[in-house]
Amino acid sequence: MAYDKALAERIRDALEHETGVSEVKMFGGLSFMVDGQLAVSANSHGNLMVRCEPDRVDELLTHKGAHWAEMRGKPMSNGWLEVDRTGTSSGIEFGAWIREALNFAR
């Protein structure tokens, strides 16, 4: 499965002190589960896929690099976002997306 290994390592590092984290290959990438809930993935396009509260999607889509996640060319359900490298380049931005994912999963 092709995914950005450096991105997966950034996610791993960000989640290293969290409990209940596991890794699963899915969605053509590497996904990180938190307490059995899919939280975040390093997808096959080299982007971060984030699971978030559906009622926050409109606000989160205004952030740099964020767009509606697609699977096989079709939009995914509400609460799935994809964030490209422009939206995760700084540690602050990356950390904010990880927190969104953790807030949803917990």
Side-chain angles (χ1 to χ4, degrees):
M1 233 172 247
Y3 59 88
D4 184 326
K5 291 183 182 6
L7 177 59
E9 192 60 35
R10 280 181 84 189
I11 297 169
R12 213 175 268 121
D13 289 347
L15 297 176
E16 72 179 335
H17 298 293
E18 299 294 327
T19 60
V21 176
S22 60
E23 298 179 19
V24 179
K25 290 182 179 179
M26 64 170 59
F27 295 133
L30 185 63
S31 296
F32 293 80
M33 311 287 282
V34 178
D35 295 334
Q37 299 289 322
L38 177 58
V40 62
S41 297
N43 75 14
S44 60
H45 303 290
N47 297 329
L48 192 67
M49 189 173 0
V50 178
R51 184 74 171 115
C52 62
E53 294 292 338
D55 61 349
R56 292 197 29 82
V57 167
D58 289 338
E59 175 191 345
L60 294 172
L61 284 170
T62 66
H63 293 222
K64 182 173 59 175
H67 57 275
W68 204 273
E70 293 184 358
M71 185 69 60
R72 295 182 180 98
K74 295 181 182 178
M76 293 180 69
S77 62
N78 195 13
W80 288 98
L81 297 178
E82 190 170 332
V83 186
D84 66 33
R85 288 181 177 98
T86 66
T88 61
S89 58
S90 80
I92 292 170
E93 293 167 325
F94 185 79
W97 288 112
I98 297 296
R99 281 189 302 282
E100 283 293 334
L102 286 171
N103 288 340
F104 178 81
R106 300 236 188 252

XYZ file of all heavy atoms in Angstrom:
823
model
N 0.823 -1.172 0.000
C 0.000 0.000 0.000
C 0.874 1.245 0.000
O 1.758 1.378 0.828
C -0.856 -0.012 1.258
C -2.308 0.138 0.979
S -3.294 -0.103 2.441
C -4.117 -1.605 1.974
N 0.631 2.138 -0.927
C 1.448 3.340 -1.026
C 0.854 4.462 -0.171
O -0.305 4.809 -0.319
C 1.529 3.776 -2.473
N 1.654 4.988 0.711
C 1.280 6.160 1.489
C 2.567 6.878 1.847
O 3.661 6.327 1.741
C 0.457 5.797 2.740
C 1.166 4.865 3.694
C 1.987 5.348 4.700
C 1.016 3.492 3.573
C 2.643 4.489 5.560
C 1.662 2.626 4.433
C 2.472 3.129 5.418
O 3.126 2.279 6.267
N 2.457 8.126 2.235
C 3.610 8.942 2.581
C 4.145 8.483 3.940
O 3.525 8.730 4.977
C 3.178 10.413 2.605
C 4.307 11.367 2.853
O 5.252 11.030 3.597
O 4.250 12.475 2.300
N 5.267 7.807 3.919
C 5.820 7.252 5.155
C 6.254 8.354 6.137
O 6.126 8.185 7.344
C 6.974 6.313 4.832
C 6.485 5.032 4.143
C 7.606 4.075 3.888
C 7.244 2.810 3.182
N 5.947 2.587 2.661
N 6.728 9.479 5.614
C 7.102 10.596 6.490
C 5.866 11.169 7.185
O 5.912 11.502 8.377
C 7.829 11.679 5.700
N 4.755 11.265 6.461
C 3.518 11.741 7.061
C 3.034 10.760 8.121
O 2.625 11.159 9.213
C 2.444 11.942 5.990
C 1.066 12.364 6.488
C 1.132 13.684 7.251
C 0.098 12.450 5.314
N 3.091 9.476 7.824
C 2.695 8.466 8.807
C 3.546 8.574 10.067
O 3.030 8.450 11.185
C 2.799 7.069 8.206
N 4.823 8.839 9.908
C 5.705 8.991 11.065
C 5.355 10.241 11.873
O 5.392 10.218 13.107
C 7.170 9.030 10.613
C 8.161 8.897 11.732
C 8.029 7.587 12.512
O 7.713 6.537 11.918
O 8.226 7.613 13.747
N 4.982 11.334 11.199
C 4.534 12.552 11.901
C 3.284 12.248 12.730
O 3.164 12.710 13.862
C 4.209 13.670 10.911
C 5.394 14.411 10.378
C 4.954 15.505 9.430
N 4.591 16.712 10.167
C 4.008 17.774 9.609
N 3.707 17.778 8.317
N 3.713 18.834 10.336
N 2.362 11.498 12.144
C 1.137 11.135 12.871
C 1.500 10.270 14.068
O 1.031 10.505 15.191
C 0.143 10.395 11.955
C -0.321 11.308 10.817
C -1.046 9.898 12.767
C -1.080 10.589 9.721
N 2.334 9.270 13.844
C 2.780 8.363 14.913
C 3.396 9.162 16.061
O 3.074 8.939 17.236
C 3.810 7.400 14.331
C 3.815 6.046 14.914
C 4.788 5.125 14.188
N 4.100 4.415 13.118
C 4.423 4.464 11.824
N 5.457 5.164 11.401
N 3.726 3.787 10.940
N 4.269 10.105 15.720
C 4.915 10.942 16.737
C 3.885 11.773 17.506
O 3.981 11.920 18.722
C 5.948 11.873 16.106
C 7.191 11.154 15.623
O 7.392 9.966 15.978
O 7.963 11.778 14.859
N 2.906 12.316 16.784
C 1.885 13.151 17.426
C 0.997 12.345 18.367
O 0.467 12.883 19.339
C 1.035 13.842 16.362
N 0.839 11.066 18.084
C -0.045 10.220 18.886
C 0.697 9.360 19.899
O 0.066 8.573 20.618
C -0.865 9.302 17.966
C -1.812 10.001 16.994
C -2.472 8.981 16.077
C -2.846 10.831 17.736
N 2.023 9.511 20.004
C 2.807 8.596 20.827
C 2.424 8.575 22.297
O 2.602 7.556 22.963
C 4.307 8.860 20.668
C 4.807 10.123 21.320
C 6.305 10.295 21.139
O 7.020 9.290 20.956
O 6.763 11.451 21.171
N 1.872 9.652 22.826
C 1.508 9.672 24.245
C 0.019 9.411 24.472
O -0.447 9.465 25.613
C 1.910 11.007 24.878
C 3.394 11.242 24.826
N 4.294 10.470 25.533
C 4.131 12.128 24.130
C 5.525 10.887 25.278
N 5.447 11.888 24.428
N -0.703 9.125 23.412
C -2.130 8.818 23.516
C -2.317 7.329 23.798
O -1.541 6.506 23.339
C -2.854 9.176 22.219
C -2.785 10.642 21.842
C -3.524 11.542 22.815
O -4.552 11.108 23.385
O -3.076 12.684 23.001
N -3.345 7.016 24.527
C -3.667 5.611 24.797
C -4.667 5.106 23.770
O -5.395 5.890 23.154
C -4.254 5.444 26.208
O -5.441 6.230 26.309
C -3.259 5.867 27.275
N -4.699 3.810 23.584
C -5.691 3.189 22.723
C -5.473 3.402 21.239
O -6.415 3.312 20.458
N -4.233 3.667 20.821
C -3.929 3.925 19.415
C -3.477 2.636 18.734
O -2.662 1.895 19.270
C -2.829 5.004 19.267
C -2.435 5.195 17.812
C -3.291 6.321 19.870
N -4.023 2.389 17.552
C -3.568 1.270 16.731
C -3.510 1.722 15.279
O -4.128 2.714 14.897
C -4.500 0.064 16.890
O -5.812 0.399 16.497
N -2.741 0.998 14.495
C -2.572 1.314 13.079
C -3.206 0.219 12.237
O -3.075 -0.962 12.542
C -1.081 1.416 12.734
C -0.373 2.522 13.479
C 1.109 2.602 13.150
O 1.543 2.060 12.102
O 1.846 3.203 13.959
N -3.896 0.648 11.177
C -4.572 -0.289 10.285
C -4.377 0.201 8.854
O -4.549 1.391 8.568
C -6.087 -0.350 10.591
C -6.787 -1.302 9.650
C -6.343 -0.715 12.037
N -4.024 -0.705 7.954
C -3.931 -0.347 6.548
C -5.335 -0.357 5.954
O -6.013 -1.382 5.974
C -3.014 -1.305 5.805
C -1.571 -1.131 6.211
C -0.654 -2.041 5.446
C 0.775 -1.783 5.885
N 1.728 -2.642 5.196
N -5.774 0.809 5.499
C -7.094 0.938 4.864
C -7.146 2.237 4.078
O -6.274 3.087 4.233
C -8.233 0.894 5.895
C -8.242 2.030 6.873
S -9.712 2.176 7.910
C -9.781 0.658 8.746
N -8.146 2.375 3.249
C -8.323 3.566 2.415
C -7.107 3.811 1.526
O -6.814 4.938 1.164
C -8.606 4.820 3.250
C -9.897 4.784 4.011
C -9.935 5.144 5.343
C -11.068 4.397 3.397
C -11.124 5.128 6.044
C -12.263 4.373 4.097
C -12.287 4.738 5.419
N -6.377 2.785 1.198
C -5.198 2.948 0.368
C -4.048 3.619 1.088
O -3.121 4.124 0.464
N -4.096 3.650 2.388
C -3.048 4.295 3.166
C -2.909 3.634 4.521
O -3.269 2.471 4.702
N -2.415 4.398 5.479
C -2.240 3.901 6.842
C -3.117 4.737 7.756
O -2.962 5.964 7.827
C -0.780 3.994 7.270
C -0.460 3.391 8.625
C -0.726 1.878 8.627
C 0.985 3.663 9.010
N -4.067 4.076 8.420
C -5.014 4.762 9.294
C -4.651 4.523 10.747
O -4.127 3.470 11.110
C -6.430 4.262 9.029
O -6.824 4.591 7.726
N -4.991 5.508 11.558
C -4.725 5.439 12.987
C -6.056 5.463 13.724
O -6.851 6.395 13.581
C -3.843 6.611 13.423
C -2.460 6.541 12.844
C -2.213 6.940 11.542
C -1.412 6.034 13.597
C -0.945 6.855 10.988
C -0.137 5.945 13.050
C 0.097 6.348 11.745
N -6.289 4.397 14.470
C -7.507 4.244 15.254
C -7.212 4.690 16.685
O -6.125 4.446 17.197
C -7.943 2.785 15.273
C -8.000 2.105 13.920
S -9.361 2.628 12.926
C -10.677 1.707 13.672
N -8.187 5.317 17.312
C -8.076 5.716 18.712
C -9.298 5.157 19.425
O -10.432 5.510 19.081
C -8.002 7.255 18.856
C -7.946 7.652 20.322
C -6.793 7.808 18.105
N -9.049 4.276 20.364
C -10.138 3.593 21.076
C -11.132 2.966 20.101
O -12.347 3.029 20.295
C -10.860 4.558 22.025
C -9.953 5.039 23.154
O -9.008 4.311 23.509
O -10.183 6.146 23.665
N -10.627 2.377 19.032
C -11.457 1.689 18.066
C -12.133 2.572 17.039
O -12.854 2.088 16.171
N -11.917 3.881 17.110
C -12.515 4.827 16.170
C -11.438 5.336 15.209
O -10.351 5.736 15.643
C -13.097 6.047 16.909
C -14.186 5.720 17.883
C -15.454 5.299 17.173
O -15.818 5.831 16.141
N -16.124 4.315 17.739
N -11.749 5.338 13.922
C -10.809 5.887 12.953
C -10.682 7.378 13.199
O -11.683 8.100 13.237
C -11.294 5.630 11.528
C -10.430 6.214 10.422
C -9.011 5.693 10.511
C -11.013 5.891 9.076
N -9.468 7.855 13.384
C -9.237 9.264 13.685
C -8.559 9.990 12.532
O -9.004 11.058 12.109
C -8.398 9.393 14.957
N -7.477 9.415 12.018
C -6.668 10.122 11.030
C -5.916 9.104 10.188
O -5.612 8.017 10.648
C -5.717 11.113 11.750
C -4.744 10.396 12.661
C -5.003 12.038 10.791
N -5.628 9.490 8.940
C -4.915 8.595 8.026
C -3.873 9.358 7.229
O -4.043 10.541 6.939
C -5.877 7.964 7.016
O -6.825 7.169 7.639
N -2.824 8.647 6.854
C -1.892 9.107 5.824
C -2.375 8.408 4.564
O -2.258 7.191 4.449
C -0.463 8.698 6.171
N -2.994 9.157 3.652
C -3.633 8.483 2.522
C -2.683 8.258 1.355
O -1.510 8.649 1.391
C -4.921 9.202 2.093
C -4.704 10.486 1.344
O -3.626 10.809 0.868
N -5.769 11.253 1.215
N -3.192 7.635 0.327
C -2.365 7.261 -0.822
C -1.956 8.449 -1.682
O -1.131 8.305 -2.569
C -3.099 6.222 -1.675
O -4.314 6.766 -2.148
N -2.530 9.632 -1.419
C -2.161 10.840 -2.158
C -1.127 11.674 -1.403
O -0.774 12.761 -1.844
C -3.396 11.698 -2.437
C -4.465 10.976 -3.186
N -4.346 10.609 -4.509
C -5.674 10.524 -2.786
C -5.430 9.980 -4.889
N -6.256 9.895 -3.859
N -0.696 11.175 -0.249
C 0.272 11.904 0.559
C -0.358 12.981 1.421
O 0.331 13.844 1.948
N -1.677 12.918 1.556
C -2.399 13.907 2.349
C -2.908 13.293 3.638
O -3.022 12.084 3.778
C -3.580 14.467 1.547
C -3.136 15.205 0.315
O -2.064 15.796 0.278
N -3.959 15.175 -0.712
N -3.250 14.179 4.556
C -3.819 13.784 5.829
C -5.335 13.670 5.655
O -5.966 14.581 5.116
C -3.500 14.879 6.849
C -3.728 14.619 8.315
C -2.748 13.559 8.809
C -3.536 15.900 9.099
N -5.903 12.551 6.038
C -7.354 12.412 6.040
C -7.775 12.448 7.502
O -7.270 11.690 8.332
C -7.832 11.118 5.383
C -9.325 11.137 5.231
S -10.163 9.830 4.308
C -8.970 8.726 3.740
N -8.692 13.369 7.817
C -9.081 13.633 9.197
C -10.566 13.360 9.379
O -11.384 13.821 8.592
C -8.784 15.110 9.560
C -9.222 15.417 10.973
C -7.315 15.428 9.365
N -10.896 12.642 10.423
C -12.293 12.442 10.802
C -12.609 13.504 11.832
O -11.860 13.678 12.809
C -12.462 11.042 11.409
C -13.881 10.693 11.751
C -14.677 10.391 10.492
N -15.982 9.852 10.848
C -17.132 10.465 10.594
N -17.142 11.619 9.993
N -18.264 9.912 10.945
N -13.671 14.266 11.613
C -14.001 15.366 12.511
C -15.500 15.405 12.781
O -16.277 14.704 12.140
C -13.531 16.686 11.918
S -14.325 17.101 10.359
N -15.868 16.242 13.717
C -17.282 16.428 14.036
C -17.982 16.983 12.796
O -17.556 17.998 12.243
C -17.456 17.406 15.197
C -16.921 16.916 16.518
C -17.702 15.752 17.090
O -18.880 15.556 16.720
O -17.139 15.024 17.918
N -19.042 16.340 12.334
C -19.743 16.812 11.137
C -20.199 18.263 11.216
O -20.172 18.971 10.209
C -20.938 15.862 11.027
C -20.450 14.597 11.647
C -19.588 15.057 12.803
N -20.558 18.736 12.406
C -21.021 20.119 12.512
C -19.878 21.138 12.446
O -20.115 22.341 12.393
C -21.862 20.325 13.767
C -21.125 20.051 15.068
O -20.008 19.499 15.030
O -21.684 20.379 16.130
N -18.643 20.679 12.399
C -17.479 21.575 12.274
C -16.931 21.638 10.846
O -16.033 22.415 10.556
C -16.368 21.133 13.233
C -16.761 21.336 14.681
C -15.639 21.330 15.672
N -14.331 21.749 15.289
C -13.912 23.030 15.216
N -14.736 24.022 15.455
N -12.663 23.297 14.888
N -17.462 20.829 9.949
C -16.894 20.717 8.608
C -16.853 22.060 7.876
O -15.827 22.420 7.306
C -17.650 19.662 7.768
C -17.285 19.744 6.302
C -17.349 18.277 8.306
N -17.957 22.797 7.871
C -17.981 24.067 7.131
C -16.881 25.010 7.608
O -16.196 25.635 6.805
C -19.350 24.740 7.241
C -20.422 24.006 6.462
O -20.076 23.254 5.519
O -21.607 24.169 6.800
N -16.697 25.107 8.909
C -15.639 25.966 9.450
C -14.252 25.435 9.069
O -13.384 26.190 8.633
C -15.746 26.051 10.968
C -14.607 26.842 11.593
C -14.552 26.717 13.105
O -15.520 26.263 13.730
O -13.491 27.063 13.656
N -14.059 24.145 9.207
C -12.746 23.559 8.939
C -12.361 23.643 7.465
O -11.180 23.732 7.134
C -12.697 22.112 9.433
C -12.808 21.951 10.951
C -12.957 20.484 11.326
C -11.626 22.582 11.659
N -13.349 23.636 6.579
C -13.061 23.752 5.147
C -12.485 25.109 4.770
O -11.924 25.265 3.689
C -14.321 23.471 4.322
C -14.700 21.997 4.204
C -16.085 21.853 3.572
C -13.652 21.227 3.414
N -12.585 26.091 5.658
C -12.012 27.410 5.383
C -10.510 27.450 5.685
O -9.845 28.411 5.338
C -12.720 28.520 6.199
O -12.453 28.331 7.590
C -14.215 28.532 5.933
N -9.983 26.407 6.303
C -8.560 26.364 6.651
C -7.723 25.988 5.433
O -8.150 25.216 4.571
C -8.325 25.365 7.780
C -8.936 25.783 9.071
N -8.293 25.638 10.272
C -10.136 26.343 9.375
C -9.068 26.082 11.247
N -10.189 26.518 10.721
N -6.540 26.529 5.414
C -5.608 26.292 4.318
C -5.404 24.792 4.070
O -5.169 24.022 4.994
C -4.269 26.958 4.668
C -3.199 26.840 3.622
C -1.969 27.665 3.963
C -1.366 27.272 5.277
N -0.110 27.957 5.583
N -5.519 24.393 2.813
C -5.237 23.017 2.409
C -6.351 22.020 2.639
O -6.235 20.863 2.245
N -7.458 22.437 3.276
C -8.539 21.509 3.607
C -9.556 21.427 2.474
O -9.916 22.445 1.882
C -9.234 21.946 4.891
N -9.995 20.231 2.190
C -11.072 20.019 1.221
C -11.830 18.746 1.587
O -11.376 17.947 2.408
C -10.539 19.980 -0.215
C -9.486 18.954 -0.450
N -8.151 19.178 -0.196
C -9.564 17.678 -0.884
C -7.453 18.086 -0.484
N -8.293 17.165 -0.899
N -12.989 18.606 0.991
C -13.842 17.449 1.260
C -13.104 16.200 0.805
O -12.584 16.147 -0.302
C -15.141 17.599 0.468
C -16.262 16.835 1.080
C -16.564 15.524 0.847
C -17.214 17.309 2.006
N -17.659 15.156 1.580
C -18.077 16.236 2.306
C -17.421 18.536 2.627
C -19.135 16.360 3.201
C -18.475 18.660 3.502
C -19.308 17.578 3.781
N -13.067 15.190 1.624
C -12.408 13.931 1.265
C -13.237 13.186 0.223
O -14.472 13.228 0.258
C -12.216 13.064 2.501
N -12.541 12.547 -0.693
C -13.193 11.739 -1.727
C -12.641 10.322 -1.691
O -11.487 10.106 -1.346
C -12.930 12.318 -3.116
C -13.580 13.644 -3.362
C -13.375 14.137 -4.781
O -12.687 13.460 -5.579
O -13.907 15.213 -5.095
N -13.493 9.383 -2.073
C -13.092 7.994 -2.203
C -13.541 7.539 -3.588
O -14.729 7.618 -3.909
C -13.758 7.151 -1.114
C -13.304 5.711 -1.088
S -11.603 5.450 -0.550
C -11.619 6.125 1.083
N -12.589 7.127 -4.399
C -12.865 6.694 -5.776
C -13.625 7.755 -6.569
O -14.563 7.469 -7.297
C -13.622 5.374 -5.790
C -12.799 4.226 -5.235
C -13.574 2.915 -5.318
N -12.773 1.842 -4.783
C -12.898 1.367 -3.540
N -13.785 1.853 -2.726
N -12.130 0.381 -3.130
N -13.239 9.017 -6.357
C -13.822 10.110 -7.110
C -15.161 10.619 -6.607
O -15.744 11.519 -7.201
N -15.638 10.077 -5.497
C -16.926 10.502 -4.947
C -16.720 11.071 -3.548
O -15.909 10.544 -2.777
C -17.897 9.331 -4.885
C -18.255 8.796 -6.256
C -19.240 7.665 -6.151
C -19.516 7.142 -7.560
N -20.416 6.008 -7.549
N -17.456 12.139 -3.210
C -17.317 12.721 -1.870
C -17.680 11.728 -0.778
O -18.639 10.971 -0.907
C -18.308 13.887 -1.871
C -18.756 14.069 -3.269
C -18.456 12.818 -4.017
N -16.898 11.751 0.274
C -17.196 10.912 1.433
C -18.270 11.597 2.273
O -18.602 12.762 2.046
C -15.926 10.659 2.244
C -14.922 9.803 1.483
S -13.408 9.469 2.393
C -13.996 8.387 3.684
N -18.773 10.903 3.244
C -19.836 11.455 4.088
C -19.320 12.628 4.926
O -18.117 12.824 5.094
C -20.416 10.366 4.987
O -19.421 9.871 5.855
N -20.263 13.379 5.451
C -19.959 14.544 6.264
C -19.099 14.139 7.460
O -19.409 13.179 8.150
C -21.269 15.173 6.735
C -21.078 16.561 7.282
O -20.035 17.179 7.112
N -22.095 17.076 7.931
N -18.035 14.876 7.677
C -17.136 14.579 8.788
C -15.794 14.029 8.346
O -14.933 13.746 9.167
N -15.606 13.887 7.030
C -14.324 13.417 6.492
C -13.694 14.557 5.700
O -14.279 15.056 4.751
C -14.528 12.241 5.546
C -14.913 10.983 6.225
C -16.171 10.481 6.362
C -14.042 10.061 6.852
N -16.138 9.298 7.039
C -14.842 9.014 7.356
C -12.659 10.014 7.053
C -14.303 7.934 8.039
C -12.133 8.930 7.730
C -12.951 7.910 8.207
N -12.504 14.954 6.088
C -11.761 15.986 5.378
C -10.403 15.461 4.968
O -9.837 14.581 5.614
C -11.567 17.224 6.257
C -12.816 17.968 6.689
C -12.446 19.128 7.599
C -13.584 18.462 5.485
N -9.885 16.038 3.901
C -8.525 15.740 3.468
C -7.764 17.059 3.521
O -8.288 18.097 3.145
C -8.546 15.188 2.049
C -7.220 14.640 1.602
C -7.336 13.883 0.286
O -8.417 13.329 -0.016
O -6.326 13.859 -0.429
N -6.546 17.003 4.020
C -5.731 18.205 4.162
C -4.420 17.963 3.439
O -3.686 17.027 3.752
C -5.469 18.546 5.648
C -4.743 19.879 5.752
C -6.774 18.561 6.438
N -4.135 18.810 2.447
C -2.890 18.639 1.700
C -1.718 19.263 2.446
O -1.889 19.848 3.524
C -3.031 19.164 0.264
C -3.244 20.666 0.183
O -2.713 21.426 1.033
O -3.936 21.099 -0.751
N -0.548 19.162 1.880
C 0.684 19.606 2.555
C 0.686 21.092 2.893
O 1.338 21.502 3.846
C 1.888 19.259 1.687
C 2.173 17.779 1.682
C 3.406 17.465 0.819
N 3.706 16.064 0.892
C 3.337 15.166 -0.025
N 2.659 15.548 -1.087
N 3.664 13.904 0.116
N -0.043 21.900 2.127
C -0.064 23.333 2.435
C -0.743 23.597 3.775
O -0.474 24.621 4.407
C -0.765 24.158 1.331
O -2.160 23.816 1.294
C -0.129 23.954 -0.020
N -1.616 22.703 4.204
C -2.322 22.873 5.467
C -1.709 22.142 6.637
O -2.228 22.220 7.758
N -0.614 21.432 6.393
C 0.031 20.677 7.478
C 1.523 20.959 7.566
O 2.249 20.243 8.245
C -0.176 19.157 7.298
O 0.402 18.741 6.062
C -1.646 18.786 7.343
N 1.975 22.003 6.871
C 3.419 22.250 6.803
C 4.013 22.679 8.143
O 5.124 22.294 8.470
C 3.746 23.264 5.709
O 3.059 24.475 5.946
N 3.275 23.447 8.925
C 3.823 23.855 10.222
C 3.373 22.879 11.304
O 2.336 22.215 11.183
C 3.365 25.273 10.586
O 2.048 25.261 11.097
N 4.145 22.813 12.353
C 3.793 21.954 13.482
C 2.497 22.391 14.142
O 1.725 21.558 14.616
N 2.236 23.681 14.151
C 1.009 24.200 14.759
C -0.202 23.747 13.959
O -1.194 23.259 14.527
C 1.063 25.737 14.868
C 2.127 26.138 15.899
C -0.304 26.311 15.234
C 2.438 27.609 15.937
N -0.141 23.893 12.640
C -1.254 23.471 11.788
C -1.469 21.962 11.896
O -2.604 21.495 12.046
C -0.977 23.832 10.321
C -0.962 25.319 10.048
C -0.387 25.655 8.688
O 0.552 24.961 8.221
O -0.868 26.623 8.083
N -0.388 21.212 11.800
C -0.476 19.760 11.881
C -1.097 19.340 13.214
O -2.005 18.504 13.253
C 0.916 19.146 11.704
C 0.902 17.653 11.653
C 0.534 16.996 10.494
C 1.255 16.902 12.758
C 0.514 15.603 10.437
C 1.244 15.521 12.717
C 0.873 14.868 11.549
N -0.613 19.921 14.291
C -1.133 19.599 15.618
C -2.612 19.912 15.766
O -3.354 19.168 16.423
N -3.062 21.000 15.148
C -4.479 21.364 15.218
C -5.345 20.305 14.542
O -6.420 19.951 15.044
C -4.700 22.732 14.582
N -4.877 19.780 13.395
C -5.637 18.724 12.711
C -5.652 17.433 13.525
O -6.670 16.746 13.593
C -5.087 18.487 11.305
C -5.417 19.598 10.377
C -4.553 20.495 9.810
C -6.724 19.968 9.919
N -5.249 21.380 9.026
C -6.573 21.082 9.071
C -7.999 19.461 10.142
C -7.662 21.703 8.446
C -9.084 20.072 9.522
C -8.908 21.173 8.689
N -4.541 17.110 14.157
C -4.495 15.918 15.006
C -5.467 16.074 16.172
O -6.199 15.134 16.517
C -3.057 15.636 15.500
C -2.127 15.326 14.331
C -3.044 14.525 16.560
C -2.467 14.064 13.555
N -5.531 17.264 16.769
C -6.471 17.504 17.871
C -7.919 17.355 17.407
O -8.758 16.816 18.134
C -6.243 18.883 18.501
C -5.054 18.894 19.452
C -4.945 20.188 20.233
N -4.827 21.374 19.408
C -3.719 21.777 18.795
N -2.613 21.072 18.922
N -3.704 22.877 18.073
N -8.215 17.850 16.189
C -9.577 17.667 15.644
C -9.921 16.184 15.587
O -11.009 15.772 15.965
C -9.695 18.264 14.236
C -9.810 19.744 14.183
C -11.098 20.303 14.767
O -12.142 19.607 14.801
O -11.058 21.459 15.211
N -8.994 15.393 15.064
C -9.219 13.958 14.935
C -9.393 13.293 16.301
O -10.284 12.460 16.485
C -8.062 13.309 14.168
N -8.557 13.669 17.257
C -8.658 13.100 18.608
C -9.961 13.497 19.279
O -10.601 12.676 19.952
C -7.468 13.533 19.463
C -6.148 12.864 19.152
C -5.015 13.537 19.906
C -6.200 11.379 19.449
N -10.379 14.743 19.104
C -11.640 15.197 19.702
C -12.812 14.381 19.183
O -13.721 14.038 19.927
C -11.873 16.680 19.442
C -10.964 17.560 20.245
O -10.401 17.146 21.262
N -10.800 18.792 19.813
N -12.784 14.065 17.891
C -13.865 13.250 17.338
C -13.803 11.819 17.876
O -14.803 11.263 18.299
C -13.834 13.228 15.818
C -14.911 12.365 15.258
C -16.194 12.836 15.129
C -14.650 11.043 14.899
C -17.218 12.016 14.656
C -15.659 10.215 14.415
C -16.938 10.702 14.304
N -12.626 11.246 17.874
C -12.474 9.842 18.268
C -12.781 9.631 19.748
O -13.290 8.564 20.118
C -11.057 9.362 17.966
N -12.503 10.581 20.545
C -12.731 10.425 21.992
C -14.122 10.879 22.369
O -14.666 10.687 23.345
C -11.697 11.221 22.789
C -10.279 10.767 22.490
C -9.579 10.374 23.755
N -8.167 10.116 23.470
C -7.642 8.920 23.473
N -8.369 7.876 23.724
N -6.369 8.751 23.253
